[in-house]
Amino acid sequence: DSAVAAAREAARSAASLDELRAIVESFEGCALKATASRTVFEDGVRDARVMFVGEAPGREEDMEGRPFVGKSGQLLDRMLASVGLDRKTNAYIANIIPWRPPGNRTPTPQEIAICEPFVRRQIELKAPDLLVCVGAPSTETLLGLKGIMKVRGRLMGFESGGRTIQAIATLHPAYLLRSPIAKRQAWRDMLTIRKTLGL
Ligand code: URA
C-alpha cells in the first residue's frame, strides 16, 4: 500500500532522531494525524541504554505531546523508579503510533503498518542496548509475538540497524491498573530489566 511505502521511504531517509521527528511531524500519510492535536514522538534521555515502546498516545499525551503522561504513564514512572530508572536520567520512551486514535480506540492494522517504519527507524537511530515492548500491541508489532502473558519476561535478540540488541516484553500499565494482581509479573520483568542493565 502506498502510505506504507511512503512511510518506509521517509523513515529510511532520516539520519538522526531530530530528522526523524521532523519527518514524522510532517508526514501526511496517516489519517490519525488529522484528528490528533499533536505528534507524540518521544520522551526521556536519547542516550539512555533502555528504550520503552508503548502503543499510542491517549488524551493526556495528546494534550502534552509526550508519551505516557496520563494515569498509565504515572504507573509506568513508578515501575521505572522501582528499578532505578527515570525519564530524566536513564530511560527513553516512545510509542508504536505517534498520534492519538480518536476516543482512544485501538489502532487499526493499517494504521500500525503505516507507523511501524517510523518506530523501527526510531529504535535504530536511538540504538538502545535493551528494548522493552510495553503491552501486547507493541510486542506483536515489534517482536512478532502474540500471547503477552506467555511471552512477557523473556529476554530475546532483536535485529536493529545491523546489530542485535536485547528485547523483552512486559505488561502494559493500563492493564495493570485494571488487573492489579498481574503486578507481580510486571515486577519480575522489571527485575530482569534491572539485571540486564546492570543497575
Ligand atoms: N499508553 C500507551 O501505550 N502510550 C502512551 O503514551 C500512553 C498510554
Side-chain angles (χ1 to χ4, degrees):
D1 162 271
S2 68
V4 177
R8 280 205 193 112
E9 201 182 320
R12 209 173 21 231
S13 75
S16 68
L17 285 169
D18 279 334
E19 275 184 37
L20 181 64
R21 184 181 188 132
I23 286 167
V24 172
E25 281 169 351
S26 62
F27 185 73
E28 299 296 342
C30 181
L32 291 176
K33 189 176 177 204
T35 49
S37 25
R38 299 177 210 306
T39 300
V40 176
F41 183 72
E42 64 180 348
D43 197 20
V45 179
R46 283 183 171 179
D47 63 9
R49 293 181 55 214
V50 60
M51 174 172 182
F52 293 80
V53 180
E55 180 181 7
R59 193 172 153 272
E60 287 78 10
E61 291 77 19
D62 183 64
M63 289 190 304
E64 261 202 52
R66 291 190 297 132
F68 282 104
V69 294
K71 268 228 151 66
S72 26
Q74 288 158 23
L75 178 53
L76 180 65
D77 281 340
R78 292 201 295 277
M79 293 161 70
L80 298 182
S82 73
V83 294
L85 290 170
D86 81 87
R87 58 177 102 197
K88 292 222 157 55
T89 41
N90 53 9
Y92 182 79
I93 306 175
N95 281 310
I96 297 286
I97 305 270
W99 300 288
R100 181 197 184 195
N104 292 358
R105 67 161 171 74
T106 302
T108 65
Q110 167 73 358
E111 288 158 356
I112 291 177
I114 294 169
C115 296
E116 184 177 346
F118 294 123
V119 69
R120 286 197 184 271
R121 186 69 182 141
Q122 192 172 1
I123 298 165
E124 281 177 18
L125 292 168
K126 157 79 198 80
D129 294 330
L130 175 63
L131 169 69
V132 182
C133 292
V134 181
S138 174
T139 302
E140 284 179 24
T141 304
L142 295 175
L143 306 180
L145 296 173
K146 296 211 179 211
I148 182 78
M149 288 319 228
K150 269 238 164 89
V151 303
R152 54 145 281 277
R154 301 187 197 157
L155 279 172
M156 59 196 86
F158 180 82
E159 301 301 319
S160 182
R163 63 181 199 128
T164 306
I165 63 172
Q166 289 191 287
I168 190 170
T170 191
L171 303 175
H172 197 289
Y175 172 77
L176 299 176
L177 289 170
R178 295 192 302 271
S179 308
I181 192 107
K183 284 183 182 173
R184 282 175 64 106
Q185 285 146 296
W187 169 241
R188 255 184 255 142
D189 301 343
M190 294 312 298
L191 292 179
T192 304
I193 290 165
R194 176 165 79 183
K195 195 167 165 208
T196 305
L197 294 171
L199 292 168

